[in-house]
Amino acid sequence: MSPGEKLDPLPDTFILQPPVFHPVVPYVATIFGGLRAGKMVVLQGAVPLNARRFQVDFQCGCSLHPRPDIAIHFNPRFHTTKPHVICNTLRGGRWQAEARWPHLALRKGASFLILFLFGNEEMKVSVNGQHFLHYRYQLPLSRVDTLGIYGGILVTAVGFLNISPFVEGGSEYPVGHPFLLKSPSLEVPCSRALPQGLWPGQVIIVRGLVLPEPKDFTLSLLDDAAHVPVTLRASFADRTLAWVSRWGRKKLILAPFLFYPQRFFEVTVHQMCVAVKLRNMLDWFQGAALWTDFYELDSATM
């Protein structure tokens, strides 16, 4: 991987808020800034073999009691004789007249990429790059501020885009970029250059997915002589976190062990000051995790 290579294939102008990887369903999240015409939500995942139905709701709030209005209810159903999708609106606790689409483009046991594109008067949905349906709003789009995902679905990534990637006047849906979940650039063991080195106040964020049968994994910094002055080690045998020095000394970190098999995690290292000249290299070693993303930030941006 070259020092200047970016890990995210989507231009920064497209990003509305950070993507979410491997959320636990049911999943409810705030949509930063709400929805407006031109915004897009990307849902990447797979349908389990035993799935009966799932739903993606664009909600007007996230309360449990009373139940919030749902401006757009996208509900694929697999348990009927003829699988289909229902779209509807929940207003004041009552469902409105539902719209039904047959010939469901989703299949049990298969992965998918669903794009929700929001226009001025209707939402368009594509599945794996092919237009599938459109649904006219029955509540103002400006009221939507929450995304809810429920039911029989495995979600690998949720992305929020700020502008439409459609070519002006075009009629074809873009397939969209997966969020590099299976990119060769992120296979571990993996090294990532830090072109400007490290400085006090810098923030490093590493995101990953714990493997089904984890043992341990390490996150290390290397200096010019390929020494490892700083290593963070997570051990699943005794469920401990520790800093490990270049001489092998281990200092336990008194913090809860929050790593779980097949769960997504995010590690943030900040206010780091290492008293040796660094080789500007971050190494992510194979052990218990798959690497999904990497960021360098200044602490002032957090």
Side-chain angles (χ1 to χ4, degrees), residues 84-128:
H84 58 280
V85 168
I86 294 293
C87 284
N88 207 338
T89 296
L90 182 69
R91 178 190 297 169
R94 294 185 177 183
W95 290 106
Q96 308 303 298
E98 68 180 26
R100 179 183 299 235
W101 283 265
H103 311 298
L104 182 57
L106 299 164
R107 298 289 181 268
K108 290 184 178 182
S111 59
F112 61 78
L113 182 67
I114 303 176
L115 304 184
F116 300 92
L117 174 64
F118 301 95
N120 289 313
E121 298 180 349
E122 65 180 10
M123 173 193 70
K124 296 179 180 179
V125 179
S126 72
V127 178
N128 298 330

Side-chain angles (χ1 to χ4, degrees), residues 239-261:
R239 298 184 61 79
T240 59
L241 295 172
W243 293 109
V244 182
S245 72
R246 59 187 295 182
W247 300 280
R249 295 177 181 175
K250 184 167 67 173
K251 181 178 181 181
L252 292 178
I253 299 173
L254 300 179
F257 192 84
L258 301 178
F259 299 95
Y260 298 91

Side-chain angles (χ1 to χ4, degrees), residues 180-197:
L180 287 178
L181 298 181
K182 297 182 180 179
S183 170
S185 300
L186 296 179
E187 292 180 356
V188 288
C190 183
S191 296
R192 176 73 167 100
L194 304 177
Q196 299 179 1

